[in-house]
């Protein structure tokens, strides 16, 4: 079955088949980061990006079960086969919006890299057939060329 989205391992850069890998974030690191940000900037954890130089969110990683890329002690884990379509990715985004730790992760960046492949991601959750935001294939025409409707 062809999927809309593919999972590419952050460790070996190989494509991950269903049942062979996960998308995960370190919940312990995210909780720790969130507490530190709240102490620094108050209730709005996203304000840390505007007020703290070098502040980085906790990264979502995509990996094969057999690839060891520094596995978290307490991961929030999503099997890759559950994030293989645009509706599934959207559904996970809605689900994660209710999780307190998500604000301290790069979930939005992960989704943006899937939506806008010009961001040149080589691993993570990526579209099988990259399209630009106008619906054309990546590399179809130079970015400065006018749209042909």
């Amino acid at each position: 079955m062809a999927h809309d989205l593919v999972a590419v391992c952050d460790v070996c850069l190989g494509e991950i088949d269903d049942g062979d890998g996960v998308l995960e974030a370190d919940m312990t690191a995210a909780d720790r980061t969130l507490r530190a940000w709240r102490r620094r900037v108050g209730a709005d954890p996203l304000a840390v990006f505007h007020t703290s130089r070098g502040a980085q969110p906790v990264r979502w990683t995509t990996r094969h079960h057999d690839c060891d890329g520094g596995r978290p002690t307490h991961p929030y884990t999503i099997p890759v086969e559950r994030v293989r379509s645009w509706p599934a990715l959207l559904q996970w985004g809605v689900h994660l919006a209710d999780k307190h730790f998500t604000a301290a992760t790069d979930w939005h960046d992960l989704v943006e890299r899937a939506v806008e492949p010009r961001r040149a991601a080589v691993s993570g959750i990526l579209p099988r057939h990259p399209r630009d935001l106008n619906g054309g294939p990546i590399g179809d025409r130079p970015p400065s060329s006018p749209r042909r409707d």
Side-chain angles (χ1 to χ4, degrees):
M1 169 194 230
H3 300 290
D4 298 335
L5 302 171
V6 295
V8 178
C9 182
D10 290 321
V11 179
C12 72
L13 300 180
E15 188 171 329
I16 305 171
D17 293 327
D18 288 353
D20 287 344
V22 295
L23 173 63
E24 67 186 2
D26 185 337
M27 287 182 26
T28 301
D31 285 339
R32 186 175 46 248
T33 300
L34 196 56
R35 281 193 305 276
W37 291 352
R38 284 187 175 140
R39 279 193 302 273
R40 249 193 242 162
V41 297
D44 181 10
L46 298 180
V48 75
F49 295 116
H50 304 293
T51 61
S52 303
R53 188 174 189 180
Q56 295 293 317
V58 173
R59 191 167 187 274
W60 282 88
T61 58
T62 310
R63 66 169 179 79
H64 289 100
H65 293 301
D66 296 337
C67 287
D68 185 11
R71 295 178 185 170
T73 307
H74 296 100
Y76 189 95
T77 303
I78 304 169
V80 296
E81 59 271 16
R82 297 193 62 200
V83 195
R84 293 291 197 183
S85 68
W86 293 110
L89 189 63
L90 180 61
Q91 186 175 22
W92 274 104
V94 170
H95 175 76
L96 290 170
D98 288 337
K99 306 293 183 196
H100 71 282
F101 71 89
T102 305
T105 71
D106 72 342
W107 178 261
H108 292 98
D109 289 336
L110 177 126
V111 172
E112 188 177 26
R113 286 188 303 269
V115 170
E116 181 51 71
R118 289 187 192 273
R119 294 211 35 218
V122 295
S123 62
I125 303 299
L126 305 171
R128 180 166 300 283
H129 303 288
R131 312 294 281 178
D132 67 19
L133 293 179
N134 294 323
I138 299 300
D140 187 36
R141 62 183 182 274
S144 60
S145 297
R147 272 181 64 178
R148 289 176 262 176
D149 292 324

